[in-house]
Amino acid sequence: MPRDLHDTINSIARRRGFYWPSYEIYGGLSGFITYGDLGTKLKRNIENSWRRHFVHPHGFLELDAPVINLEIVFRASGHLDHFKEYSAECTKCGRSHRADHLIEEKTGLENVEAMGPDAISRLLREEKITCPSCDSPLKEPTMTLTMFRTEIGATGGDTGYARPEAAQSMFVNFKRGYQHAREKLPFAIAQIGKVLRNEISPRRGLNRLREFTIMELELFFDPENPTCPWLHDVSGDNMRLLTEEMEAKGEKTPLETTVGEAHEAGHILTEWQAYFMAVSQRFVTNLGVPPDRQRFRAHLPEERSHYSAQTYDHEVRESWGWTEVAGHAYRTDYDLRAHQEGAGEDMTALREDGTRYVPHVVEPSFGLDRLFYMALENSYERRNKRNILRLPRDIAPIQVSVLPLVTKDGLPEKAAEIHKTLTEAGLVATYDESGSIGRRYARSDEIGTPLAVTIDYDTIEKVTVTIRDRDSWDQVRLPTRELPGRLGNYFDQKTDFTELGEKI
Amino acid sequence: MPRDLHDTINSIARRRGFYWPSYEIYGGLSGFITYGDLGTKLKRNIENSWRRHFVHPHGFLELDAPVINLEIVFRASGHLDHFKEYSAECTKCGRSHRADHLIEEKTGLENVEAMGPDAISRLLREEKITCPSCDSPLKEPTMTLTMFRTEIGATGGDTGYARPEAAQSMFVNFKRGYQHAREKLPFAIAQIGKVLRNEISPRRGLNRLREFTIMELELFFDPENPTCPWLHDVSGDNMRLLTEEMEAKGEKTPLETTVGEAHEAGHILTEWQAYFMAVSQRFVTNLGVPPDRQRFRAHLPEERSHYSAQTYDHEVRESWGWTEVAGHAYRTDYDLRAHQEGAGEDMTALREDGTRYVPHVVEPSFGLDRLFYMALENSYERRNKRNILRLPRDIAPIQVSVLPLVTKDGLPEKAAEIHKTLTEAGLVATYDESGSIGRRYARSDEIGTPLAVTIDYDTIEKVTVTIRDRDSWDQVRLPTRELPGRLGNYFDQKTDFTELGEKI
């Protein structure tokens, strides 16, 4: 059943052009996917929603830095030492596998990575785990660097790595950000861009890709003035937490609390982290996932990245279980200090009293591809043997389908004219005349288009059109000339469907 | 003088946060730049303008494919054999240099790359060209592959390359595109994304980067039905051409013609190419470059890429000379045939009469970073010892500055309120209260913000504000409540500055 839902989504995605495995004609390549037209649009809409939640209201800075990074950056940041995974090679076929994942699949244990190398070696032996490809014995697991390596300069020269996170480019450019923020803290730098992780065994469609898009924000603040001016706007939001203490005890039922209480009780170390976790929940809710399918789970110390003093994963309940869609890390002054040492450059900020300090950093980090899949799966509904994606209207890739009732008597021409008017008014509209009207409604529903405008004989005689709602299948009728304005208001979230016209 | 302008633009870019060299704190890395907040916004605005010109009006499909590609893709496409440059290594310091560029710099010759290996070897000797770093002799030039290479799979496995163009992902996904276009030609797939070229000697700021953003479109058509339905909309546009024949004769004065005539006279082989060249000129004109600073130059056969039957570079006059900002290639059926053979998959389309054919391809391809620099340089004006960027209003990174006249008597609070209203209305606005009003106008002009709204005592007493125009420095006065609506119309290109209010 859960497996079915994943398959159904993947099947719609391929057939309708959301996404599919890359290099299909060459047999595919594990960990790489390609977004089609609907996918490209949905992805961009999620990006814009993220900006509306995290960047624009706060006046934060954006950055766009290279994917290829100098080795020295990752030497300073600690990634060369720490960005590694447990890899176990088959003694016979030579294939490598994630050792901790093999143990998880065999035993049902969680978070095996955090148990450390000795436990992993022991479990591989005790559980008699063999190669999933050929069933032969595996070698002892080793720690393998999972960054893509390349040489910069066509005839060699510098070693470079594709970035596995966008964060380091915010840190190495901190001084520029500080300058452009007019040397005032707190300020933040946000970045949306490609990152690459050379996973040993990619899996689960969009959830463990080798190339994916990250949306990351680094908030720089003075540890002696850690106030977040916007915290009171969200402190009453409810929140479900699995704190570090609860995780250590193996408790499974989250603490139901509010953002403000969670911070006051010390479950969340900084105001900024609490604030961004609340915004994160609002953002994911707006992507169509109700809060009762969301939770925040703290990392245990041994699970945390090398740079983090506290990390909460923002998890969403998917068909196969809880899945991380964002990480909220308190990176302290770790990274700026690392580059201060690595580059020998001053990375401090100046207080009004003249003292200097290395700023602290709170980081919300989102996997766009995971959010994308999440939005599809959570919007899926099966009704009357039809697939419907109830995507929120502000992220739906197509806003409105324009459909002539029949392909004669001037209706297609009229519909094409209306389609052009809507497109010129800035709406994302498609025109579809092929097949029965019922089949065209079904196609429109299956790709999550919120509204369908039907052009019929009354459009010619009475200059009215009908609009059909994807979610209720209700229809309203309105004068044709009012269409662009009312649709505009609808997609600006100013009105609801029933206000678009007179119910039929 | 020309050099000065380039330096001035780079200096504004660094100081104000358009872009700067990547990894500054680590000494920089040739061929990599980082976009700051203003740059990220300007870049996104240019992308959206491109979509408005090339994608949306035609209902073309978009795609978003990986940067890392399987080696087999580039083996089939011919890139492994052909994506090479002439590299000459120094016998002493070991540095490699672009042999053809060294010859061009020494001799003033153009397009030396097209002369072939023998001529390049001979010219290096005859002109006694030495290493530009240490003045020692150079070795014989060799052809060097300029794609970034990496291993996929953390413990090795497949060889991959970072794509040097986005086009191949449109070709390997042709069948999906054909399916999603409901198996009807012509259709097009567009893609905006990162590409990487491991240049031997990157140079000229944004104009020869190793990592950059490409905007590419592949139009698939039936060679037996090569009609472009939109050609008549643009066939009267004037156009300046250096045809293949003129290039062969070394003529320097372009042919002044129209798009329609250029096609009819056979200077442009296909209707689609003629159409996209016209759209290209409109697009670049809308980015602020007058048509008399644009031209289209045909490649000679020896200069053309291995896949092209005809290529026109769209060139723009920059401070250092004519610079390619786009390429218009007629790729014929080269790429689809290459992958049909490479993958052993059918890459044909079906005609209504039941016959099958491999579609032909016309490709307009744009370097976003070059367009970005072009927009800055062409918008630059020095007036009264001030820097002004006269960026077109639809690409300016910030639309409006909100400025309290003084920081007392409630003006900052009023200005902050107006700033919030404008931001919520969807405008990109900044608030600035630091320094004299003249200095703030200058800052606003220098980053190309078209309008500045000033909040003064009349804002409190008469509920009016003034708006100042960046280009004329004229001012108008209008009721505060009308501000969001009128600004909205102004940025939708519905009104001009003088219609915003009453002239002061």
Side-chain angles (χ1 to χ4, degrees):
Chain A
M1 166 70 172
R3 195 68 218 163
D4 282 351
L5 180 52
H6 187 228
D7 289 348
T8 301
I9 298 294
N10 279 339
S11 157
I12 295 173
R14 258 196 306 274
R15 199 173 65 249
R16 305 305 308 276
F18 284 96
Y19 61 86
W20 55 85
S22 297
Y23 314 112
E24 286 179 314
I25 64 168
Y26 287 102
L29 176 58
S30 196
F32 293 86
I33 62 124
T34 293
Y35 289 93
D37 189 52
L38 295 174
T40 305
K41 289 182 165 70
L42 175 55
K43 212 175 155 196
R44 197 155 61 235
N45 291 345
I46 296 175
E47 286 178 13
N48 288 333
S49 178
W50 189 79
R51 284 195 186 93
R52 283 198 300 275
H53 282 86
F54 285 93
V55 185
H56 297 333
H58 314 99
F60 292 152
L61 304 174
E62 276 196 76
L63 190 81
D64 184 1
V67 172
I68 300 289
N69 283 230
L70 271 175
E71 183 172 47
I72 198 170
V73 171
F74 295 121
R75 191 179 301 286
S77 70
H79 283 78
L80 268 190
D81 289 331
H82 297 291
F83 208 79
K84 293 179 173 176
E85 288 176 351
Y86 292 99
S87 166
E89 195 186 329
C90 174
T91 53
K92 193 171 168 206
C93 73
R95 285 199 183 83
S96 290
H97 307 276
R98 270 290 289 266
D100 49 327
H101 289 179
L102 294 181
I103 294 168
E104 285 169 7
E105 279 154 24
K106 182 80 177 273
T107 62
L109 287 167
E110 289 175 9
N111 251 321
V112 170
E113 186 174 16
M115 294 179 182
D118 295 344
I120 288 172
S121 286
R122 182 174 51 73
L123 280 165
L124 274 183
R125 277 194 310 278
E126 286 179 5
E127 298 289 337
K128 298 192 173 55
I129 291 170
T130 56
C131 174
S133 307
C134 75
D135 206 28
S136 304
L138 295 169
K139 294 185 191 168
E140 271 293 290
T142 53
M143 295 292 279
T144 306
L145 187 68
T146 54
M147 294 196 291
F148 284 96
R149 187 180 185 282
T150 195
E151 294 297 318
I152 302 167
T155 51
D158 296 302
T159 295
Y161 291 92
R163 61 182 182 186
E165 59 169 21
Q168 294 310 317
S169 44
M170 273 81 104
F171 301 131
V172 301
N173 290 299
F174 164 73
K175 288 168 73 174
R176 286 279 173 210
Y178 185 50
Q179 171 197 352
H180 301 138
R182 307 224 186 129
E183 311 202 340
K184 274 187 192 145
L185 264 67
F187 74 90
I189 309 178
Q191 188 172 187
I192 299 178
K194 282 280 182 84
V195 297
L196 288 98
R197 296 182 185 177
N198 207 351
E199 298 282 351
I200 294 160
S201 29
R203 57 179 186 176
R204 274 201 203 120
L206 299 195
N207 278 298
R208 193 173 294 274
L209 293 168
R210 282 173 166 151
E211 181 172 330
F212 58 102
T213 299
I214 214 162
M215 306 191 288
E216 237 161 30
L217 185 149
E218 313 298 324
L219 185 289
F220 299 94
F221 69 98
D222 179 351
E224 291 189 8
N225 182 14
T227 311
C228 167
W230 296 290
L231 182 59
H232 69 272
D233 297 341
V234 300
S235 55
D237 286 15
N238 291 316
M239 176 172 267
R240 293 146 46 92
L241 286 189
L242 282 167
T243 65
E244 199 173 312
E245 205 175 24
M246 294 164 74
E247 278 288 286
K249 288 185 196 157
E251 286 179 29
K252 298 287 177 202
T253 312
L255 172 70
E256 311 257 352
T257 180
T258 66
V259 174
E261 284 166 12
H263 173 59
E264 274 162 38
H267 300 314
I268 304 174
L269 291 181
T270 72
E271 287 197 9
W272 281 105
Q273 220 175 343
Y275 174 68
F276 286 128
M277 286 164 70
V279 177
S280 194
Q281 183 170 267
R282 289 184 178 195
F283 167 60
V284 166
T285 305
N286 281 340
L287 294 178
V289 181
D292 64 4
R293 294 176 71 87
Q294 302 181 44
R295 70 179 190 190
F296 292 88
R297 188 183 66 76
H299 283 200
L300 291 171
E302 58 272 28
E303 187 189 356
R304 282 202 296 267
S305 299
H306 59 280
Y307 49 71
S308 180
Q310 181 175 55
T311 300
Y312 271 101
D313 280 350
H314 187 171
E315 297 185 330
V316 167
R317 179 93 199 160
E318 310 255 30
S319 51
W320 55 74
W322 289 97
T323 303
E324 175 198 352
V325 294
H328 292 266
Y330 176 27
R331 297 181 80 130
T332 69
D333 57 0
Y334 176 88
D335 300 275
L336 288 183
R337 279 196 188 280
H339 291 296
Q340 184 163 271
E341 271 182 37
E345 288 269 345
D346 175 58
M347 299 294 252
T348 60
L350 187 66
R351 289 196 185 95
E352 282 190 10
D353 66 9
T355 57
R356 303 202 75 92
Y357 64 101
V358 179
H360 278 221
V361 169
V362 158
E363 171 195 84
S365 170
F366 294 79
L368 174 51
D369 311 77
R370 289 187 177 198
L371 292 168
F372 182 104
Y373 180 78
M374 175 199 82
L376 289 186
E377 195 183 281
N378 274 276
S379 74
Y380 180 77
E381 186 193 340
R382 183 91 182 155
R383 197 195 314 163
N384 296 6
K385 296 188 181 168
R386 284 191 189 174
N387 297 321
I388 301 164
L389 296 182
R390 300 169 60 118
L391 291 167
R393 68 181 90 156
D394 62 336
I395 62 165
I398 307 290
Q399 295 178 311
V400 53
S401 306
V402 180
L403 316 172
L405 184 65
V406 292
T407 55
K408 56 181 183 182
D409 303 328
L411 296 189
E413 291 73 14
K414 193 74 209 161
E417 189 190 313
I418 289 172
H419 173 255
K420 190 157 183 259
T421 307
L422 296 183
T423 303
E424 285 171 358
L427 290 153
V428 184
T430 52
Y431 173 84
D432 186 2
E433 61 170 43
S434 74
S436 73
I437 189 76
R439 203 175 144 199
R440 282 179 279 156
Y441 284 147
R443 274 206 294 262
S444 183
D445 289 347
E446 194 182 42
I447 61 169
T449 305
L451 302 177
V453 172
T454 310
I455 282 70
D456 56 20
Y457 291 100
D458 274 355
T459 310
I460 310 243
E461 284 156 27
K462 300 181 187 163
V463 201
T464 61
V465 292
T466 64
I467 307 182
R468 172 183 170 280
D469 179 37
R470 172 198 66 197
D471 298 333
S472 62
W473 293 355
D474 286 343
Q475 302 203 20
V476 294
R477 187 138 209 121
L478 71 162
T480 308
R481 67 172 188 288
E482 310 244 326
L483 197 54
R486 293 204 195 170
L487 290 181
N489 286 336
Y490 176 83
F491 286 104
D492 285 345
Q493 314 269 358
K494 286 179 190 158
T495 54
D496 280 326
F497 175 72
T498 52
E499 298 163 75
L500 283 173
E502 204 175 324
K503 195 168 176 185
I504 304 179
Chain B
M1 163 72 173
R3 195 69 217 162
D4 282 351
L5 180 53
H6 187 228
D7 289 348
T8 301
I9 298 293
N10 279 338
S11 158
I12 295 173
R14 259 197 305 276
R15 198 173 66 247
R16 305 306 307 276
F18 284 96
Y19 61 85
W20 55 86
S22 297
Y23 313 113
E24 285 178 313
I25 63 168
Y26 287 103
L29 176 58
S30 194
F32 292 86
I33 62 122
T34 293
Y35 290 93
D37 189 52
L38 294 174
T40 306
K41 288 181 165 72
L42 176 55
K43 211 175 155 194
R44 198 154 61 234
N45 291 346
I46 296 175
E47 287 178 12
N48 287 334
S49 177
W50 188 79
R51 285 195 186 92
R52 282 197 302 273
H53 282 86
F54 285 92
V55 185
H56 297 333
H58 314 99
F60 291 152
L61 304 173
E62 277 195 77
L63 190 82
D64 182 3
V67 172
I68 300 290
N69 282 231
L70 271 174
E71 183 172 47
I72 197 170
V73 171
F74 295 121
R75 191 178 301 285
S77 69
H79 283 78
L80 269 190
D81 290 332
H82 297 290
F83 207 79
K84 293 179 174 175
E85 288 174 351
Y86 292 98
S87 166
E89 196 186 329
C90 174
T91 52
K92 192 169 168 206
C93 75
R95 285 198 182 85
S96 290
H97 307 277
R98 271 290 288 267
D100 49 327
H101 288 180
L102 293 182
I103 295 167
E104 286 169 6
E105 280 155 23
K106 182 79 176 274
T107 62
L109 288 167
E110 288 176 12
N111 252 321
V112 170
E113 186 174 16
M115 295 180 181
D118 295 342
I120 288 172
S121 286
R122 182 175 49 76
L123 281 165
L124 274 183
R125 275 195 311 277
E126 287 180 4
E127 299 289 337
K128 299 194 173 56
I129 291 170
T130 55
C131 174
S133 308
C134 76
D135 205 28
S136 304
L138 295 169
K139 293 185 192 169
E140 271 292 289
T142 54
M143 295 293 279
T144 306
L145 187 68
T146 53
M147 294 195 290
F148 283 96
R149 187 181 185 281
T150 194
E151 293 297 317
I152 302 166
T155 52
D158 296 301
T159 294
Y161 292 91
R163 61 182 183 186
E165 58 170 20
Q168 294 310 318
S169 45
M170 272 80 105
F171 300 131
V172 301
N173 290 298
F174 164 73
K175 289 168 74 175
R176 287 280 173 210
Y178 185 51
Q179 172 196 351
H180 301 139
R182 306 222 188 130
E183 312 202 341
K184 274 186 194 146
L185 265 66
F187 75 89
I189 310 179
Q191 187 171 187
I192 299 177
K194 282 279 181 88
V195 298
L196 288 98
R197 295 181 186 179
N198 207 352
E199 299 282 352
I200 294 161
S201 29
R203 58 178 187 175
R204 274 202 203 123
L206 299 194
N207 278 299
R208 192 172 295 273
L209 292 168
R210 282 174 167 150
E211 181 172 331
F212 57 103
T213 299
I214 214 161
M215 306 193 288
E216 237 162 30
L217 185 149
E218 312 299 324
L219 186 289
F220 299 94
F221 69 98
D222 180 352
E224 291 189 8
N225 182 13
T227 312
C228 167
W230 296 289
L231 182 59
H232 68 273
D233 297 341
V234 299
S235 55
D237 287 14
N238 291 316
M239 175 171 268
R240 292 147 48 91
L241 285 189
L242 283 168
T243 66
E244 200 174 311
E245 205 175 23
M246 294 165 74
E247 278 288 287
K249 289 186 197 156
E251 287 180 27
K252 299 287 176 203
T253 311
L255 173 70
E256 310 258 352
T257 179
T258 66
V259 174
E261 285 166 10
H263 174 60
E264 272 162 41
H267 300 314
I268 305 174
L269 291 180
T270 72
E271 287 198 8
W272 281 105
Q273 220 176 341
Y275 174 67
F276 285 129
M277 284 164 71
V279 177
S280 194
Q281 183 169 268
R282 289 184 177 195
F283 167 59
V284 166
T285 305
N286 281 339
L287 294 178
V289 181
D292 63 4
R293 294 176 71 86
Q294 302 181 43
R295 71 179 190 190
F296 292 88
R297 187 183 66 75
H299 283 201
L300 291 172
E302 58 272 28
E303 186 190 357
R304 282 203 297 267
S305 299
H306 59 281
Y307 49 73
S308 180
Q310 182 176 55
T311 299
Y312 270 100
D313 280 350
H314 186 170
E315 297 184 330
V316 168
R317 179 92 199 161
E318 310 256 32
S319 51
W320 56 73
W322 289 97
T323 303
E324 174 198 352
V325 296
H328 292 266
Y330 176 27
R331 298 181 77 129
T332 68
D333 57 0
Y334 176 89
D335 300 274
L336 289 183
R337 278 196 190 280
H339 291 296
Q340 184 162 272
E341 270 183 38
E345 290 268 345
D346 175 59
M347 300 294 253
T348 60
L350 187 66
R351 288 195 187 95
E352 281 190 11
D353 66 9
T355 56
R356 305 202 72 94
Y357 65 101
V358 179
H360 278 222
V361 170
V362 158
E363 171 195 85
S365 171
F366 294 79
L368 174 51
D369 311 77
R370 289 187 177 198
L371 292 168
F372 182 103
Y373 180 79
M374 175 199 82
L376 289 186
E377 195 183 281
N378 275 277
S379 73
Y380 181 78
E381 186 194 340
R382 183 92 182 154
R383 197 193 318 161
N384 296 7
K385 295 187 184 171
R386 285 189 188 176
N387 297 320
I388 301 164
L389 296 182
R390 300 169 60 119
L391 291 167
R393 68 182 90 156
D394 61 337
I395 61 165
I398 308 289
Q399 297 177 310
V400 53
S401 306
V402 180
L403 316 172
L405 184 67
V406 291
T407 55
K408 58 182 183 182
D409 303 329
L411 296 189
E413 291 73 14
K414 193 73 207 162
E417 190 190 312
I418 289 171
H419 173 254
K420 192 159 184 257
T421 307
L422 297 182
T423 304
E424 284 171 359
L427 290 154
V428 185
T430 52
Y431 173 84
D432 186 2
E433 61 168 44
S434 73
S436 72
I437 189 74
R439 202 174 145 199
R440 282 179 279 155
Y441 283 147
R443 272 205 295 262
S444 184
D445 289 347
E446 193 183 42
I447 62 169
T449 305
L451 302 177
V453 172
T454 309
I455 282 72
D456 56 20
Y457 291 101
D458 274 354
T459 310
I460 309 239
E461 284 157 28
K462 300 181 186 162
V463 202
T464 62
V465 292
T466 64
I467 307 181
R468 173 182 171 281
D469 179 37
R470 173 198 66 197
D471 298 334
S472 62
W473 293 355
D474 287 342
Q475 302 203 18
V476 293
R477 188 138 209 121
L478 72 162
T480 308
R481 67 169 191 289
E482 309 242 328
L483 195 56
R486 292 204 195 171
L487 290 182
N489 285 337
Y490 176 82
F491 287 104
D492 286 345
Q493 315 267 0
K494 286 178 190 159
T495 54
D496 280 326
F497 175 73
T498 52
E499 296 164 75
L500 282 173
E502 204 174 324
K503 194 165 178 188
I504 303 178

